[in-house]
Amino acid sequence: MTLDRTDPEGSIAEAAKAYSNWGRWGADDVLGTLNFLDEAKRREAATLIRRGASFSLAQSFDMNGPQKGWRRRTNPVHTMLDTGTDAALGLQGFPHGLGGADDVIAMPLQCSTQWDGLGHIFDHGKTWNGRDAAKTVTSEGDLVTGIEHMAPHVAGRGVLLDVGRTVGEDGELPDGFAITEEHLTATADAQGVTVGRGDIVLVRTGQLARVRRDGWGDYAGGAAPGLSFTTAGWLHGSEIAAIATDTWGFEVRPNEFDVAFQPLHQVAIPNIGLLIGEMWDLDALAEDCAADGAYEFLLVAAPLPITGAVGSPINPIAVK
């Protein structure tokens, strides 16, 4: 699709109409593109385990994270409720020398490695499948498409597209680099891997490796490589189940229109019904894939079944 930098409204409306999946799985659907990830696809994914090597694709959840307070997003605050010190001082009241530790964490659900749920983004007051956002997502949470519905389903064939290594320099794309369908296709071809229905696609840009080396800077919300708005047709037509990146916002930033904010989100989540992951750590997996030439694997990335949530922290596990 073409992109008119001066007309985000028109481009978004055109893409939303062309790539809408509203009604595709019925009026009551709560899974969106996860419907493409069926039992046959999971059986296929299970056959990809040959070595038993496993990789956590999660960033750390701690106060040293990238968040800077935008829209009240903060880094996790971890607090101990009981400690070894308490036990040693005899403050816990347990018999026969028993002691223990407990802790609690307070954090926004999308402060580190996470999924965007279907209730996360609206398009002109409509959420996934054409529902009224005002009646769907209230102060009580997402009353219809809460992320808890996805908890049993996000396990299947993962495919890494290491665009940073294939297209970039020294394994990294520069901030503001717009990844097009051509870049995605060229990367898949170079890696000898296919992408299709029901796959969970992981796009590595290399930005996370860069900020780990140079400091967080504006990783949370600043300029970044990411998917071009023009990939909306590919995201729809490929029938992938989900997609995740190693960046804060999935799509290229600054966005490609003169005045816009996350326009690809506006098409992908409420209209395509696409599950989007952000801030994934893909570096160790990418090193291994480059070494053995295998870019497909079993991926298990279930969200926490937090009732009514519009996003969830995760610890995705890739097994090869």
Side-chain angles (χ1 to χ4, degrees), residues 65-88:
Q67 298 299 332
K68 301 169 70 176
W70 178 81
R71 294 187 66 81
R72 293 175 286 185
R73 286 188 183 174
T74 59
N75 293 311
V77 178
H78 178 215
T79 304
M80 297 305 299
L81 300 178
D82 263 323
T83 69
T85 304
D86 298 327

Side-chain angles (χ1 to χ4, degrees), residues 6 22 47 158 162 174 196 218 229 231 241 243 245 264 277-278 287 291 305 308:
T6 67
W22 288 3
T47 67
D162 194 346
D218 290 327
F229 183 81
T231 61
I243 190 167
T245 69
L264 187 55
E278 292 156 336
E287 289 284 350

Side-chain angles (χ1 to χ4, degrees), residues 296-311:
E296 56 180 353
F297 36 83
L298 171 67
L299 179 64
V300 180
L304 298 178
I306 303 168
T307 303
V310 298

Side-chain angles (χ1 to χ4, degrees), residues 3-17:
L3 187 152
D4 181 352
R5 292 194 61 91
T6 67
D7 185 22
E9 286 273 356
S11 298
I12 292 168
E14 178 186 354
K17 181 179 180 180

Side-chain angles (χ1 to χ4, degrees), residues 33 45 127 140 199:
T33 54
T127 187
E140 295 183 353
D199 288 335

